[in-house]
Structures are given as structure tokens and as C-alpha cells.
Amino acid sequence: MSVVPLKFRPHTDGLLIFADDVGGYFKSDHAFLHRYACGQLTSSDRAFLSTNGHAYDSVGDLSFSGYEHRFAERFYLPRELDYVILVPSLRCNLACGYCQVSRVNENTPGFDWEDVTLEAVINFLDSLTAKKIKVEFQGGEPLLRLDIITKVREFCRQRFEACEIVICTNLQEVSGPAWDLLAGPDIFVSTSLDGDRITHQKQRTVTAPATDQFFANLEFAVGHLGPEKISALPTIDPHNAPSPQEVINTYLSYGIRSIYLRPVNHQGFARKKFDARTSAATWNAYHASFIDALIEHNWSSDVAIEEYYFVHCLRRVLRSGHNGHVDLRNPNIVGHSYVVIDYDGKIYPTDEARMVTRVGQFDLSMGDVFAGISSKTIDSLNAEALNNFHPDCVHCPYQAFCGVDLVDDISRYGRIDLPKHLTDFCQRHMSIFDRIFAMIYSDDPKVQKTLALWSGAPRFDPLLAKVHK
């Protein structure tokens, strides 16, 4: 019998978490590690490893083929381009301190699509082979260009079998025609709600009247469009963060039960005002306290709530195929399944690549809507967008659940070859996966209830917490 390679990491209770290259995991002790490393496995060891898919008798047998299948299932296979982020204007009616792009004042000319750009964008959309499409409008404030949104939506409705339109708006000033547009059945709203009123005003609206206006618009949106059409994201300064309970209470008061915590982004112009380059430890501590608060809330409340990204990572641990988040994929191939078209018609593989280019670090653009896509730079990035062979990642038990984010590495360090354990991406995700496994192996009924809720199961299954003694 041959045993597949196992990687290990100390667990909170002094034992070890073991995992293979396809995401199969279990907990055991140092005595097993010694037997495994020294080739002294007992019959009990071999039976456990064989039963749980960590061993095979010969190449090509059922166990080997099953392992190959699970290995392949862990990879992200880029689909056809069916998701486009459009930035019709950089003009905005707010001046948020952590803004990642070089937004301009609402009345500044020269930062919107011209008619020729809109025509070229529609021609680009028309060239796509996908039958369904998702279009996300960003800015600036996209509601300043209702005319462009309307024209693109009308085109997509008649061109594709199905379309989903997401408008990323600050909900600060919403006209009657804008509300009418947002009420469309294929229109969804994404906005920012920075935890609580005090933090939101400090980071975004500045004045009390502007803050009142935002919360009134948010309440109207939830009441008239429905909470299922509204997503709101808090941007958190980990060095001056609102309490987790304040964030939870604010979101629940608007019927929003999924919170995607985001630290202030180092990418783009936010780096001028915030220390976001080396704040992983501070962020990890805040994030851990937030998960604690959610567990306590879910234990005593009939209204469950989640932290979106943590739940996404949890589901990547429990099963393959969860590749919906563009920053956590392996390989993280960019510029294929979605692109970003900026206010000047330039095309970028990701929104973060647009920011890196805007601050003058590197030009990560990949052509424009006039001359077409050029993938030379992106091909060079994609050649490194895999964690299976990185000298740090190959020894990590979380490798199968994790991914890479080369654009973030470029933004923070100006290079992509920094040892992974020194990067913000790795430090944040090690903290998340450590916490996930602490929860999986917890005997606390509060933790087990939240695990069941977040994994989509009716109750916690003890078989998820495999232990070999």
C-alpha cells in the first residue's frame, strides 16, 4: 500500500492537523507523525489511511482514480468570459478617505465615457460567446450616468438569454429615475455600510446631514427593493475598528444577514492615508473577535448571520468547487472569465490591477475596447498563478483550500516571488484556516451550531472531525 503525501501543522490542542493534496484532512498526534515519517505505520494506521482516501494499492486502482478525481476537482477551470465590470465615470459625490482609485469631484469634466467609448463597449459585449452575462457598474458613482447604465442594460437584455446587473452605488443621492431603474427585476444594489453610524460618517459621509441622507436611502432601498436585492460591505480600519457587536446590530437592523468584512485596501490611493501594508496581525485579531461575536449571536438568535468570506473559506475546506470568489482560486487565472473596462476604455484583468496601474506601480492593462485585448502581461502573471509548486505552499496542509493573489503581492511588495509566509495574503488565510479547523474540532455546542448553519447542514456532523489515534 502507498500513502499519498501528507502535510501537517500544529493544532490548538497540541495535536496535529494532517492534510493531503486534495483536501482530505484528519487530526492525529506526534507519535503517528513519527511512524509516518519513519515508514513504521501500524496496521491500524494503514487501515485508517486507506478507509479515508489517503492511500492506494496500485496506480490505476479505484482508490488511486478517486484521488486523481478529487485532485482535479480542486482546480479552478476558467470559464468563458461572462462577467464584466464597467467604470463609466470616475466622478463621485463623496470623497471617502480610503478610496482605492483616483476618483474626481462630481463636476469635473473629462472622466466619463465618451459616446465612442460606449459604442466600443457595446461592441465588446456583443463579441462575447456567453449566453448569460453579469455586468457590474463601478465608479466613481455610476448613478451619475443613468443614461449609460440604461443603454447597456437594454442591450444586454436583448443580446443575452439572461443578464444580471449589479450597481455599486454609495446610495448618497438617488433620484426618482434612479430608484425606478434600481427597481428592475434584473438589477441588484451593492453599497458600503461601514459598520455603524459613527464609523460610516467618519470614513465616508463626513457631515451629519449627509449621514442622515445615506441611512434614509438605505432604509428606503431595503423597504422598497427588498433586502434580497441589497448587499452592503463594511470597510474596516483594523487600527480603529467599530466593535463587532455594533457592526452586527447595524446590519441586522436593515435585514442584511451576510457581512463581508474588508480591511482598508493597500491597493490604490488608500495607502496614502492608512497603514494597510503590514496590518495582517491586527486585522486577524479583529476578524477572530468578529467570528466569536457571530457564534454568540447565532447561539441565542433565531436570525442567523454570517461573515461571507469566512463561510466561503469554510466551504472550500468541506468540498471542492467553491470558486465563486475571484481572489481565492487555484490557479487564479486572471483576464479570462471576467475583465474590467475603465472610464477611458482600457481593459484590466481585475479591479485591483486597475488600481495598481492608476498609482503608477505597474501597467497591468490588457488593451482597450478600441484595439482589443492584448494578453502578454497577463500571460506572464498567469504562468505563476498556481500554489501547487511554490516552495512554501507545498508543505502547507491548507494548500488545497487556498489560492494565490499575485496582484496583491505586486501592490504591497512590488514583486511576486516573496516567500509566501511573509505576505499579507498568506498570513490572513493561515489565520482563517486555523480558526476553521479549531471550529471543526470544537466540542462547544455554540460553535457546532454555527458550523452547521454556515456549512448548509441541518446539524453538525461529527464525521467532519476525523481523528486518528
PDB file of all heavy atoms in Angstrom, residues 326-337:
ATOM      1  N   VAL A 326     -13.294  35.720  -6.687  1.00  0.00           N
ATOM      2  CA  VAL A 326     -12.216  35.871  -7.673  1.00  0.00           C
ATOM      3  C   VAL A 326     -10.839  35.997  -7.043  1.00  0.00           C
ATOM      4  O   VAL A 326      -9.826  35.852  -7.739  1.00  0.00           O
ATOM      5  CB  VAL A 326     -12.476  37.085  -8.600  1.00  0.00           C
ATOM      6  CG1 VAL A 326     -13.752  36.877  -9.388  1.00  0.00           C
ATOM      7  CG2 VAL A 326     -12.553  38.389  -7.792  1.00  0.00           C
ATOM      8  N   ASP A 327     -10.757  36.266  -5.727  1.00  0.00           N
ATOM      9  CA  ASP A 327      -9.454  36.418  -5.086  1.00  0.00           C
ATOM     10  C   ASP A 327      -8.969  35.134  -4.426  1.00  0.00           C
ATOM     11  O   ASP A 327      -7.883  35.114  -3.840  1.00  0.00           O
ATOM     12  CB  ASP A 327      -9.512  37.529  -4.028  1.00  0.00           C
ATOM     13  CG  ASP A 327      -9.718  38.902  -4.652  1.00  0.00           C
ATOM     14  OD1 ASP A 327      -9.340  39.073  -5.827  1.00  0.00           O
ATOM     15  OD2 ASP A 327     -10.272  39.790  -3.975  1.00  0.00           O
ATOM     16  N   LEU A 328      -9.758  34.072  -4.476  1.00  0.00           N
ATOM     17  CA  LEU A 328      -9.363  32.823  -3.820  1.00  0.00           C
ATOM     18  C   LEU A 328      -9.642  31.651  -4.754  1.00  0.00           C
ATOM     19  O   LEU A 328     -10.644  30.948  -4.622  1.00  0.00           O
ATOM     20  CB  LEU A 328     -10.097  32.644  -2.489  1.00  0.00           C
ATOM     21  CG  LEU A 328      -9.549  31.533  -1.593  1.00  0.00           C
ATOM     22  CD1 LEU A 328      -8.130  31.844  -1.153  1.00  0.00           C
ATOM     23  CD2 LEU A 328     -10.442  31.319  -0.376  1.00  0.00           C
ATOM     24  N   ARG A 329      -8.727  31.486  -5.697  1.00  0.00           N
ATOM     25  CA  ARG A 329      -8.826  30.407  -6.665  1.00  0.00           C
ATOM     26  C   ARG A 329      -7.439  29.821  -6.895  1.00  0.00           C
ATOM     27  O   ARG A 329      -6.434  30.485  -6.695  1.00  0.00           O
ATOM     28  CB  ARG A 329      -9.375  30.916  -8.006  1.00  0.00           C
ATOM     29  CG  ARG A 329     -10.818  31.362  -7.974  1.00  0.00           C
ATOM     30  CD  ARG A 329     -11.198  32.095  -9.244  1.00  0.00           C
ATOM     31  NE  ARG A 329     -12.630  32.345  -9.337  1.00  0.00           N
ATOM     32  CZ  ARG A 329     -13.185  33.127 -10.247  1.00  0.00           C
ATOM     33  NH1 ARG A 329     -12.423  33.747 -11.141  1.00  0.00           N
ATOM     34  NH2 ARG A 329     -14.488  33.299 -10.284  1.00  0.00           N
ATOM     35  N   ASN A 330      -7.419  28.574  -7.316  1.00  0.00           N
ATOM     36  CA  ASN A 330      -6.156  27.939  -7.662  1.00  0.00           C
ATOM     37  C   ASN A 330      -6.362  27.003  -8.863  1.00  0.00           C
ATOM     38  O   ASN A 330      -7.118  26.043  -8.761  1.00  0.00           O
ATOM     39  CB  ASN A 330      -5.620  27.130  -6.482  1.00  0.00           C
ATOM     40  CG  ASN A 330      -4.265  26.521  -6.797  1.00  0.00           C
ATOM     41  OD1 ASN A 330      -3.358  27.198  -7.271  1.00  0.00           O
ATOM     42  ND2 ASN A 330      -4.126  25.229  -6.567  1.00  0.00           N
ATOM     43  N   PRO A 331      -5.733  27.307  -9.982  1.00  0.00           N
ATOM     44  CA  PRO A 331      -4.927  28.503 -10.235  1.00  0.00           C
ATOM     45  C   PRO A 331      -5.812  29.740 -10.356  1.00  0.00           C
ATOM     46  O   PRO A 331      -6.952  29.637 -10.783  1.00  0.00           O
ATOM     47  CB  PRO A 331      -4.232  28.183 -11.551  1.00  0.00           C
ATOM     48  CG  PRO A 331      -5.162  27.242 -12.249  1.00  0.00           C
ATOM     49  CD  PRO A 331      -5.785  26.414 -11.163  1.00  0.00           C
ATOM     50  N   ASN A 332      -5.258  30.887  -9.986  1.00  0.00           N
ATOM     51  CA  ASN A 332      -6.025  32.124 -10.056  1.00  0.00           C
ATOM     52  C   ASN A 332      -5.755  32.803 -11.396  1.00  0.00           C
ATOM     53  O   ASN A 332      -5.062  33.810 -11.479  1.00  0.00           O
ATOM     54  CB  ASN A 332      -5.659  33.049  -8.897  1.00  0.00           C
ATOM     55  CG  ASN A 332      -6.682  34.148  -8.700  1.00  0.00           C
ATOM     56  OD1 ASN A 332      -7.588  34.326  -9.508  1.00  0.00           O
ATOM     57  ND2 ASN A 332      -6.547  34.901  -7.638  1.00  0.00           N
ATOM     58  N   ILE A 333      -6.316  32.201 -12.433  1.00  0.00           N
ATOM     59  CA  ILE A 333      -6.136  32.712 -13.792  1.00  0.00           C
ATOM     60  C   ILE A 333      -6.954  33.990 -13.957  1.00  0.00           C
ATOM     61  O   ILE A 333      -8.157  34.000 -13.709  1.00  0.00           O
ATOM     62  CB  ILE A 333      -6.583  31.668 -14.832  1.00  0.00           C
ATOM     63  CG1 ILE A 333      -5.795  30.369 -14.640  1.00  0.00           C
ATOM     64  CG2 ILE A 333      -6.413  32.211 -16.240  1.00  0.00           C
ATOM     65  CD1 ILE A 333      -4.313  30.500 -14.850  1.00  0.00           C
ATOM     66  N   VAL A 334      -6.285  35.072 -14.350  1.00  0.00           N
ATOM     67  CA  VAL A 334      -6.979  36.358 -14.492  1.00  0.00           C
ATOM     68  C   VAL A 334      -7.101  36.727 -15.959  1.00  0.00           C
ATOM     69  O   VAL A 334      -6.369  36.239 -16.824  1.00  0.00           O
ATOM     70  CB  VAL A 334      -6.231  37.476 -13.724  1.00  0.00           C
ATOM     71  CG1 VAL A 334      -6.208  37.175 -12.239  1.00  0.00           C
ATOM     72  CG2 VAL A 334      -4.811  37.648 -14.244  1.00  0.00           C
ATOM     73  N   GLY A 335      -8.078  37.594 -16.229  1.00  0.00           N
ATOM     74  CA  GLY A 335      -8.252  38.103 -17.585  1.00  0.00           C
ATOM     75  C   GLY A 335      -8.981  37.165 -18.517  1.00  0.00           C
ATOM     76  O   GLY A 335      -8.960  37.366 -19.736  1.00  0.00           O
ATOM     77  N   HIS A 336      -9.651  36.156 -17.991  1.00  0.00           N
ATOM     78  CA  HIS A 336     -10.355  35.186 -18.838  1.00  0.00           C
ATOM     79  C   HIS A 336     -11.854  35.156 -18.562  1.00  0.00           C
ATOM     80  O   HIS A 336     -12.651  35.370 -19.463  1.00  0.00           O
ATOM     81  CB  HIS A 336      -9.749  33.788 -18.662  1.00  0.00           C
ATOM     82  CG  HIS A 336      -8.420  33.620 -19.323  1.00  0.00           C
ATOM     83  ND1 HIS A 336      -8.261  33.037 -20.553  1.00  0.00           N
ATOM     84  CD2 HIS A 336      -7.185  33.997 -18.931  1.00  0.00           C
ATOM     85  CE1 HIS A 336      -6.983  33.047 -20.901  1.00  0.00           C
ATOM     86  NE2 HIS A 336      -6.304  33.625 -19.928  1.00  0.00           N
ATOM     87  N   SER A 337     -12.244  34.859 -17.313  1.00  0.00           N
ATOM     88  CA  SER A 337     -13.673  34.738 -17.032  1.00  0.00           C
ATOM     89  C   SER A 337     -14.309  36.088 -16.716  1.00  0.00           C
ATOM     90  O   SER A 337     -15.525  36.212 -16.760  1.00  0.00           O
ATOM     91  CB  SER A 337     -13.904  33.767 -15.874  1.00  0.00           C
ATOM     92  OG  SER A 337     -13.211  34.204 -14.715  1.00  0.00           O
TER      93      SER A 337
END
